[in-house]
Amino acid sequence: MNIDPANSKRITQRAGKSLSDQRPGEFELIKRHLAPLADNSSSLGLEDDAAVFRPPADRELVFTKDVLAENIHFFSDDPPDLIARKALRVNLSDLAAKGATPSGYLMGLCLPTGWTEDWIEQFCAGLAEDQRTYDFSLFGGDTIKSSGGLTISITAIGHVPTGSAVVRSGARPGDALYVTGTIGDAALGLLIRQGASLSSTKEHTEFLTGRYLLPEPKMDTHTVLRDFASAAMDISDGLAADLGHLCDASGVGARIQLEKIPLSAAARVVLDQDRDRFSAVIMGGDDYELLVSVPAKHKNAFELASERLGTPVSQIGVVTEGADRLFLDEAGERLAVSKSGFTHF
C-alpha cells in the first residue's frame, strides 16, 4: 500500500565526512550484526556463498518472498525494530496460509547512503526478537548499497507434511468462507499515520496504528488449516481483492454478508462517526489475517479447533457457483464494492 509519507530520514544520518569512518564495512557488518542471527547449521555461519538446508523427512518445502520498500510499505521514521519484524511477519503470514511451519529465511538488505550502525543494531534486534518468537533463523542473503531508499527482501522457507499444503485453488461451491481476527484495522491505522483525523480515542488510535506497524501472522493455525480448509490465503491487498484472488484461482464465486465482517472496537468507533471509512476496511490492505474456505461438513470442527487455539474466526459468507462476488448489506441488497484492492502497478 503506497503510504507517501513526509520525507523523514531516521534511517540515514547526514553527519559530515566522518560518518563513513564510524561505520563497519560490508563484511564487518555481516560478522557483527547478521551472523549472530544465523544460529543454525544450514547457514554455514554466513561464511559461504550459499546455505545448505536438509528438510525434515516426509515434508515438502514451501517458499514465499515479499519485498518491502521505504515510503511504500513503511515510513522512513518507523522504529527500525518494527520495520524488521514487519518484513519477517508479512512472509510468515504467507506460510501460515499454506499451513506451513517456518524453517528459516534469506534476506536481501539494500541500505541507503548514510545508514547508521545504531539503526542496524535496532533493526537486527527486531529480527532476533521475532526469530525467538517464531522459532526460525537466518539462512543467508546479501547486503548492498541502495541507490534509493531502504529495501528489504525476505524469502521465507517453511515445510508441510507431504501433500498437505493448503492452496488458493481448492474452494468449492457450498464451502463456508471465514476470516480470522478483525478486518480493516491496519488500513485505518495507515490513514492515521498519513495524518487523517479519525474520530477515535487515544487508546483506539494507538491500537489501529499498532495493527499497521506490526502484523500478527496466524502461525498457530497450520494444523487446523491442513485438517479442515479447502483453500486459504492471507489478506494483504484488502479483503475484496484477496477474495477475488481466491475465487479466480478456484473458479468459483462468493456471497459475502457485510455485517458479518468482524470489526475491532476501535474500528467500530471510527465507522460510527464516518461510515464512508468502511471502504477502507473492505479494500485497504495490511490485515495479514487469513481468508479460509471450509467445506460445510467441517464447519463445526473448524470453529471448535480454532476456538481451542484462541484464534477468533468469523464466517462472512459462502462460496457459490459462477464468477460473481456479491457483497450484501443487512437487507440483502447488493452493494457495489471495488475489487481492485492495492496493486503496485
mmCIF file of all heavy atoms in Angstrom, residues 237-258:
data_model
loop_
_atom_site.group_PDB
_atom_site.id
_atom_site.type_symbol
_atom_site.label_atom_id
_atom_site.label_comp_id
_atom_site.label_asym_id
_atom_site.label_seq_id
_atom_site.Cartn_x
_atom_site.Cartn_y
_atom_site.Cartn_z
ATOM 1 N N ASP A 237 -3.732 -7.534 0.438
ATOM 2 C CA ASP A 237 -4.094 -6.485 -0.510
ATOM 3 C C ASP A 237 -5.489 -5.919 -0.268
ATOM 4 O O ASP A 237 -5.945 -5.059 -1.019
ATOM 5 C CB ASP A 237 -4.020 -7.021 -1.946
ATOM 6 C CG ASP A 237 -2.616 -7.406 -2.349
ATOM 7 O OD1 ASP A 237 -1.663 -6.792 -1.824
ATOM 8 O OD2 ASP A 237 -2.452 -8.324 -3.175
ATOM 9 N N GLY A 238 -6.164 -6.395 0.763
ATOM 10 C CA GLY A 238 -7.531 -5.980 1.045
ATOM 11 C C GLY A 238 -8.484 -7.152 0.883
ATOM 12 O O GLY A 238 -8.293 -8.007 0.006
ATOM 13 N N LEU A 239 -9.513 -7.211 1.711
ATOM 14 C CA LEU A 239 -10.434 -8.344 1.695
ATOM 15 C C LEU A 239 -11.089 -8.533 0.330
ATOM 16 O O LEU A 239 -11.158 -9.642 -0.184
ATOM 17 C CB LEU A 239 -11.513 -8.159 2.776
ATOM 18 C CG LEU A 239 -12.621 -9.219 2.797
ATOM 19 C CD1 LEU A 239 -12.042 -10.607 3.038
ATOM 20 C CD2 LEU A 239 -13.662 -8.871 3.862
ATOM 21 N N ALA A 240 -11.577 -7.438 -0.274
ATOM 22 C CA ALA A 240 -12.261 -7.564 -1.561
ATOM 23 C C ALA A 240 -11.329 -8.113 -2.627
ATOM 24 O O ALA A 240 -11.691 -9.015 -3.394
ATOM 25 C CB ALA A 240 -12.820 -6.213 -1.990
ATOM 26 N N ALA A 241 -10.103 -7.590 -2.685
ATOM 27 C CA ALA A 241 -9.154 -8.037 -3.701
ATOM 28 C C ALA A 241 -8.726 -9.472 -3.470
ATOM 29 O O ALA A 241 -8.664 -10.286 -4.402
ATOM 30 C CB ALA A 241 -7.935 -7.124 -3.726
ATOM 31 N N ASP A 242 -8.426 -9.821 -2.228
ATOM 32 C CA ASP A 242 -7.925 -11.166 -1.962
ATOM 33 C C ASP A 242 -9.034 -12.212 -2.077
ATOM 34 O O ASP A 242 -8.769 -13.357 -2.463
ATOM 35 C CB ASP A 242 -7.257 -11.215 -0.593
ATOM 36 C CG ASP A 242 -5.917 -10.491 -0.603
ATOM 37 O OD1 ASP A 242 -5.194 -10.621 -1.610
ATOM 38 O OD2 ASP A 242 -5.591 -9.790 0.365
ATOM 39 N N LEU A 243 -10.265 -11.834 -1.783
ATOM 40 C CA LEU A 243 -11.390 -12.724 -2.082
ATOM 41 C C LEU A 243 -11.422 -13.020 -3.576
ATOM 42 O O LEU A 243 -11.623 -14.162 -4.003
ATOM 43 C CB LEU A 243 -12.701 -12.086 -1.638
ATOM 44 C CG LEU A 243 -13.973 -12.851 -2.032
ATOM 45 C CD1 LEU A 243 -14.077 -14.156 -1.267
ATOM 46 C CD2 LEU A 243 -15.215 -11.986 -1.804
ATOM 47 N N GLY A 244 -11.204 -11.977 -4.389
ATOM 48 C CA GLY A 244 -11.164 -12.173 -5.832
ATOM 49 C C GLY A 244 -10.050 -13.101 -6.256
ATOM 50 O O GLY A 244 -10.235 -13.953 -7.137
ATOM 51 N N HIS A 245 -8.877 -12.976 -5.639
ATOM 52 C CA HIS A 245 -7.759 -13.859 -5.977
ATOM 53 C C HIS A 245 -8.108 -15.314 -5.679
ATOM 54 O O HIS A 245 -7.832 -16.212 -6.483
ATOM 55 C CB HIS A 245 -6.515 -13.464 -5.179
ATOM 56 C CG HIS A 245 -6.025 -12.075 -5.461
ATOM 57 N ND1 HIS A 245 -6.144 -11.472 -6.694
ATOM 58 C CD2 HIS A 245 -5.408 -11.166 -4.650
ATOM 59 C CE1 HIS A 245 -5.618 -10.260 -6.643
ATOM 60 N NE2 HIS A 245 -5.168 -10.051 -5.419
ATOM 61 N N LEU A 246 -8.708 -15.552 -4.514
ATOM 62 C CA LEU A 246 -9.063 -16.923 -4.149
ATOM 63 C C LEU A 246 -10.130 -17.477 -5.082
ATOM 64 O O LEU A 246 -10.040 -18.624 -5.535
ATOM 65 C CB LEU A 246 -9.525 -16.964 -2.687
ATOM 66 C CG LEU A 246 -9.759 -18.353 -2.092
ATOM 67 C CD1 LEU A 246 -9.367 -18.376 -0.609
ATOM 68 C CD2 LEU A 246 -11.230 -18.763 -2.213
ATOM 69 N N CYS A 247 -11.139 -16.664 -5.384
ATOM 70 C CA CYS A 247 -12.214 -17.123 -6.271
ATOM 71 C C CYS A 247 -11.694 -17.395 -7.680
ATOM 72 O O CYS A 247 -12.064 -18.395 -8.309
ATOM 73 C CB CYS A 247 -13.340 -16.094 -6.314
ATOM 74 S SG CYS A 247 -14.333 -15.999 -4.812
ATOM 75 N N ASP A 248 -10.832 -16.520 -8.187
ATOM 76 C CA ASP A 248 -10.268 -16.730 -9.526
ATOM 77 C C ASP A 248 -9.467 -18.024 -9.577
ATOM 78 O O ASP A 248 -9.569 -18.792 -10.546
ATOM 79 C CB ASP A 248 -9.368 -15.553 -9.913
ATOM 80 C CG ASP A 248 -10.162 -14.290 -10.234
ATOM 81 O OD1 ASP A 248 -11.378 -14.399 -10.475
ATOM 82 O OD2 ASP A 248 -9.548 -13.206 -10.236
ATOM 83 N N ALA A 249 -8.659 -18.272 -8.560
ATOM 84 C CA ALA A 249 -7.833 -19.480 -8.553
ATOM 85 C C ALA A 249 -8.689 -20.742 -8.468
ATOM 86 O O ALA A 249 -8.336 -21.786 -9.035
ATOM 87 C CB ALA A 249 -6.859 -19.438 -7.381
ATOM 88 N N SER A 250 -9.836 -20.647 -7.773
ATOM 89 C CA SER A 250 -10.696 -21.811 -7.580
ATOM 90 C C SER A 250 -11.785 -21.933 -8.632
ATOM 91 O O SER A 250 -12.479 -22.958 -8.692
ATOM 92 C CB SER A 250 -11.351 -21.750 -6.187
ATOM 93 O OG SER A 250 -10.392 -21.817 -5.153
ATOM 94 N N GLY A 251 -11.979 -20.883 -9.458
ATOM 95 C CA GLY A 251 -13.025 -20.923 -10.469
ATOM 96 C C GLY A 251 -14.421 -20.880 -9.868
ATOM 97 O O GLY A 251 -15.334 -21.570 -10.354
ATOM 98 N N VAL A 252 -14.599 -20.066 -8.811
ATOM 99 C CA VAL A 252 -15.888 -20.004 -8.116
ATOM 100 C C VAL A 252 -16.272 -18.545 -7.889
ATOM 101 O O VAL A 252 -15.507 -17.624 -8.179
ATOM 102 C CB VAL A 252 -15.819 -20.736 -6.759
ATOM 103 C CG1 VAL A 252 -15.566 -22.223 -6.961
ATOM 104 C CG2 VAL A 252 -14.743 -20.123 -5.854
ATOM 105 N N GLY A 253 -17.461 -18.333 -7.344
ATOM 106 C CA GLY A 253 -17.903 -17.025 -6.910
ATOM 107 C C GLY A 253 -18.071 -17.018 -5.409
ATOM 108 O O GLY A 253 -17.724 -17.979 -4.714
ATOM 109 N N ALA A 254 -18.619 -15.923 -4.864
ATOM 110 C CA ALA A 254 -18.801 -15.808 -3.420
ATOM 111 C C ALA A 254 -19.950 -14.862 -3.125
ATOM 112 O O ALA A 254 -20.242 -13.959 -3.901
ATOM 113 C CB ALA A 254 -17.528 -15.315 -2.753
ATOM 114 N N ARG A 255 -20.566 -15.091 -1.983
ATOM 115 C CA ARG A 255 -21.594 -14.193 -1.465
ATOM 116 C C ARG A 255 -21.182 -13.801 -0.048
ATOM 117 O O ARG A 255 -21.068 -14.662 0.838
ATOM 118 C CB ARG A 255 -22.965 -14.866 -1.466
ATOM 119 C CG ARG A 255 -24.098 -13.934 -1.053
ATOM 120 C CD ARG A 255 -25.466 -14.563 -1.299
ATOM 121 N NE ARG A 255 -25.700 -15.710 -0.433
ATOM 122 C CZ ARG A 255 -25.779 -16.967 -0.860
ATOM 123 N NH1 ARG A 255 -25.624 -17.246 -2.156
ATOM 124 N NH2 ARG A 255 -25.999 -17.950 -0.014
ATOM 125 N N ILE A 256 -20.944 -12.513 0.153
ATOM 126 C CA ILE A 256 -20.432 -12.008 1.427
ATOM 127 C C ILE A 256 -21.489 -11.151 2.107
ATOM 128 O O ILE A 256 -22.084 -10.268 1.485
ATOM 129 C CB ILE A 256 -19.150 -11.163 1.201
ATOM 130 C CG1 ILE A 256 -18.082 -11.980 0.488
ATOM 131 C CG2 ILE A 256 -18.630 -10.621 2.534
ATOM 132 C CD1 ILE A 256 -17.601 -13.193 1.228
ATOM 133 N N GLN A 257 -21.732 -11.400 3.384
ATOM 134 C CA GLN A 257 -22.618 -10.568 4.202
ATOM 135 C C GLN A 257 -21.764 -9.533 4.925
ATOM 136 O O GLN A 257 -20.991 -9.862 5.825
ATOM 137 C CB GLN A 257 -23.367 -11.429 5.217
ATOM 138 C CG GLN A 257 -24.270 -12.490 4.614
ATOM 139 C CD GLN A 257 -25.439 -11.904 3.868
ATOM 140 O OE1 GLN A 257 -25.852 -12.417 2.834
ATOM 141 N NE2 GLN A 257 -25.996 -10.820 4.390
ATOM 142 N N LEU A 258 -21.889 -8.277 4.501
ATOM 143 C CA LEU A 258 -21.016 -7.242 5.025
ATOM 144 C C LEU A 258 -21.131 -7.081 6.540
ATOM 145 O O LEU A 258 -20.144 -6.768 7.213
ATOM 146 C CB LEU A 258 -21.308 -5.913 4.330
ATOM 147 C CG LEU A 258 -20.941 -5.852 2.837
ATOM 148 C CD1 LEU A 258 -21.364 -4.529 2.238
ATOM 149 C CD2 LEU A 258 -19.446 -6.063 2.642
#
